[in-house]
Amino acid sequence: MKQILPVVFLSFCSLIGHSQTNTIWGIYAGAGASTVYNYDVGISGGFDFAKQVGNRTAIGASLKYQSYAFLYDKEANFVNNGGGNAGVSILNKSSYFFVTPKVSQYFGKHGCLEVYVDGGAGFKMSGTETMRKWDYNNATGTVPYDSILNTSKNINSMVLRFGFGLTEYVHLSNHWWFTITEDCGFLGNTLSKTSNVDDPSRTSYSPNGRLNPNYFSLQIGIFHTRYWEEHKMWTVKW
């Protein structure tokens, strides 16, 4: 991972150096929440670069940081927060660095609304996970137990992410713009292999599918565009 980051960074610097016209680049940061199993705010941020390829169309890439925090909790009799007499809970806190190619289309009179889609691979930067499983119900015919396991080794080192979103540009001065982005991110594979079908730790309360929560984030940023005229993001020249 430490070897990948310098190579990617130098590649982007080289790309920008050879693209002195019709380009937009900037940085952004924000936070979001998961649609399921949400446990804590997911911090996000990154560097974005795009170059015009057609009428109000641009291609580029983003270097993204995204953190995840989810708590899977399934217990007997639909009780939550460890109050049931049997169940499984999985707490995952992890973060990934994504390299995502991106396609954007700009709309509006001045082209200040961007609609984009992106997708790429993410590499684990950090991750901790614990699983608790318990059963105090003697009627099941099993010996009562309550175990807490460190399952961090089951966190995937690489995941695939696909996303889309909207970005609004607000002119600041000369070539600089303030941005507000609503981003939706979806994982193509599971964050953790804990409780997979071949996992011996499985119980009847374990997940039946992937642990890949979708995240909706609000981000703000500052961007620079090579071309500027009368507060317009796009003209014939851009």
Side-chain angles (χ1 to χ4, degrees), residues 29-97:
S34 170
T35 57
V36 293
Y37 311 141
N38 189 67
Y39 177 75
D40 201 355
V41 172
I43 303 299
S44 61
F47 173 83
D48 196 86
F49 172 80
K51 180 174 174 60
Q52 178 194 7
V53 294
N55 182 22
R56 295 197 177 199
T57 302
I59 61 172
S62 292
L63 305 180
K64 295 176 179 286
Y65 169 86
Q66 177 67 60
S67 64
Y68 296 91
F70 70 84
L71 175 63
Y72 169 89
D73 185 15
K74 185 176 181 180
E75 304 177 27
N77 303 318
F78 305 101
V79 180
N80 294 318
N81 302 317
N85 61 1
V88 169
S89 64
I90 301 171
L91 175 60
N92 179 298
K93 293 183 178 181
S94 54
S95 63
Y96 289 81
F97 175 83

Side-chain angles (χ1 to χ4, degrees):
M1 182 63 192
K2 293 181 179 179
Q3 296 176 342
I4 295 175
L5 292 177
V7 173
V8 173
F9 178 75
L10 292 174
S11 298
F12 268 80
C13 289
S14 175
L15 182 59
I16 294 173
H18 287 85
S19 304
Q20 293 300 313
T21 59
N22 306 334
T23 59
I24 295 177
W25 58 268
I27 58 175
Y28 60 90
S34 170
T35 57
V36 293
Y37 311 141
N38 189 67
Y39 177 75
D40 201 355
V41 172
I43 303 299
S44 61
F47 173 83
D48 196 86
F49 172 80
K51 180 174 174 60
Q52 178 194 7
V53 294
N55 182 22
R56 295 197 177 199
T57 302
I59 61 172
S62 292
L63 305 180
K64 295 176 179 286
Y65 169 86
Q66 177 67 60
S67 64
Y68 296 91
F70 70 84
L71 175 63
Y72 169 89
D73 185 15
K74 185 176 181 180
E75 304 177 27
N77 303 318
F78 305 101
V79 180
N80 294 318
N81 302 317
N85 61 1
V88 169
S89 64
I90 301 171
L91 175 60
N92 179 298
K93 293 183 178 181
S94 54
S95 63
Y96 289 81
F97 175 83
F98 290 89
V99 180
T100 56
K102 176 181 177 181
V103 178
S104 300
Q105 184 69 37
Y106 294 81
F107 297 91
K109 181 179 179 181
H110 301 313
C112 294
L113 175 64
E114 174 191 5
V115 178
Y116 66 85
V117 294
D118 61 12
F123 306 91
K124 186 180 73 173
M125 299 184 66
S126 64
T128 60
E129 183 182 277
T130 57
M131 178 178 70
R132 180 193 174 200
K133 59 177 184 176
W134 70 98
D135 192 338
Y136 305 135
N137 189 356
N138 292 322
T140 61
T142 61
V143 177
Y145 64 88
D146 191 338
S147 302
I148 297 179
L149 307 176
N150 185 341
T151 53
S152 300
K153 62 181 177 60
N154 293 337
I155 299 176
N156 274 327
S157 59
M158 186 181 77
V159 295
L160 299 178
R161 181 189 184 277
F162 308 94
F164 66 90
L166 300 174
T167 298
E168 296 86 32
Y169 289 81
V170 180
H171 186 254
L172 294 176
S173 64
N174 294 334
H175 302 273
W176 292 97
W177 301 77
F178 173 78
T179 62
I180 303 173
T181 299
E182 300 83 36
D183 180 81
C184 305
F186 309 91
L187 291 175
N189 56 329
T190 183
L191 280 171
S192 173
K193 297 184 289 292
T194 297
S195 294
N196 277 1
V197 293
D198 57 349
D199 189 337
S201 67
R202 279 190 62 84
T203 76
S204 58
Y205 300 100
S206 296
N208 291 321
R210 296 175 177 177
L211 294 171
N212 56 346
N214 305 320
Y215 265 76
F216 292 83
S217 302
L218 180 64
Q219 303 161 343
I220 60 174
I222 183 168
F223 279 71
H224 178 277
T225 177
R226 179 69 179 175
Y227 182 77
W228 172 82
E229 180 182 347
E230 297 179 355
H231 308 291
K232 298 176 182 179
M233 279 290 292
W234 282 83
T235 68
V236 175
K237 295 181 180 180
W238 201 106

